[in-house]
Amino acid sequence: MASKEPTFEEQLTKLQAIVNQLEQGNVPLESAIEQFQEGIKLSKDLQKKLTTAEKTLGHLIDDNDEEKEYEKATDDPSNNGGGNRGFGSAD
C-alpha cells in the first residue's frame, strides 16, 4: 500500500513544530542537526508546492471563456495608477 503524501498544511505544521523546538534550544546537538535538515527539506518541498500552485492559478478565464495569464499586482506603493488598488485605499 502506497503511503499518502502529506498535505501542504501538514508539512507546514511539521516545519513550525521543528522551528519551535529548535528555538527553545534544549534539543541535543545531534537531534538539532537532524531536525534542521528535515526543516530545510520541508521548506524546499513547501516552496515547490507554492510555485506550482502559483503557476496553476496564474491563468484566469476571462468573460469570453478564454484563458489569459494573470498579471501580478506590484508591491510598489508608488504605483498609484490603474485599478489594482488594495484594501483600504482611499479614493
Side-chain angles (χ1 to χ4, degrees):
M1 178 184 247
S3 63
K4 179 186 120 186
E5 183 177 333
T7 66
F8 179 87
E9 290 77 11
E10 290 169 340
Q11 287 183 305
L12 184 58
T13 298
K14 187 168 186 172
L15 179 59
Q16 289 170 330
I18 289 171
V19 169
N20 288 337
Q21 287 178 347
L22 293 175
E23 284 179 341
Q24 289 177 6
N26 55 359
V27 179
L29 179 61
E30 293 80 10
S31 180
I33 291 171
E34 288 175 13
Q35 288 181 346
F36 180 78
Q37 290 172 332
E38 184 177 0
I40 294 296
K41 181 185 178 311
L42 283 168
S43 177
K44 287 179 181 181
D45 288 348
L46 290 167
Q47 184 60 47
K48 188 189 312 182
K49 285 183 179 183
L50 284 174
T51 300
T52 300
E54 184 178 58
K55 287 178 183 176
T56 301
L57 297 174
H59 294 274
L60 301 174
I61 305 299
D62 66 13
D63 292 337
N64 299 323
D65 292 330
E66 294 176 5
E67 186 176 305
K68 67 178 190 176
E69 191 152 337
Y70 174 72
E71 295 178 20
K72 255 201 231 181
T74 64
D75 290 334
D76 183 1
S78 66
N79 181 12
N80 338 350
N84 260 347
R85 295 187 177 201
F87 290 106
S89 59
D91 281 315

